[in-house]
Amino acid sequence: GRLLDVCRQSIAFNSLQDLADCLQLIADDPHIAVDNVKNRLSHDYDARNMSLGYRDLNINLRFVTPLTQRLHLHLHICEVQLLLTPFAKLKSAAGHKRYVAFRNARGK
């Protein structure tokens, strides 16, 4: 198996514009390497069948600086979830537990 979600953080926003502004800041930062983006905010994403209605923008990124390179941490992938405040309020231990059970039942 693979080691996942060792470093994960969510950032909640009151508007889609604020979320987009944050995404742009991340993309423009020369010390951040974005490895993968899952856009669960897209109109094309089937949130009902894929994630029980949950939506976010999930980014896998790495910090690449002289210090992280010297410490061999520049390969450590962090997960950052950008989401709107209503989804953040719905996220709870019980809600996440239901999602994990749903995802496991689907074999993902």
Side-chain angles (χ1 to χ4, degrees):
R2 296 180 309 160
L3 183 59
L4 301 171
D5 297 344
V6 172
C7 176
R8 176 179 30 180
Q9 191 58 263
S10 297
I11 306 172
F13 300 91
N14 291 323
S15 74
L16 200 51
Q17 184 60 56
D18 290 342
L19 187 149
D21 290 346
C22 180
L23 178 60
Q24 190 64 56
L25 288 170
I26 291 169
D28 291 345
D29 190 317
H31 299 295
I32 295 177
V34 174
D35 290 334
N36 189 46
V37 176
K38 281 188 205 171
N39 184 359
R40 291 186 271 232
L41 296 173
S42 169
H43 291 291
D44 297 329
Y45 180 72
D46 182 6
R48 177 177 293 180
N49 292 313
M50 298 299 289
S51 59
L52 294 175
Y54 177 79
R55 291 183 176 272
D56 68 5
L57 191 87
N58 187 302
I59 306 167
N60 291 337
L61 55 82
R62 295 176 291 114
F63 293 96
V64 183
T65 67
L67 177 61
T68 61
Q69 289 174 325
R70 193 168 58 251
L71 297 173
H72 303 286
L73 297 173
H74 64 289
L75 299 177
H76 179 80
I77 297 174
C78 303
E79 179 181 302
V80 179
Q81 300 168 344
L82 307 181
L83 66 156
L84 296 172
T85 300
F87 287 106
K89 289 180 180 177
L90 291 174
K91 270 177 99 170
S92 65
H96 185 67
K97 199 176 199 180
R98 283 191 302 273
Y99 169 71
V100 169
F102 171 79
R103 183 184 63 193
N104 291 343
R106 292 185 57 237
K108 298 286 179 183

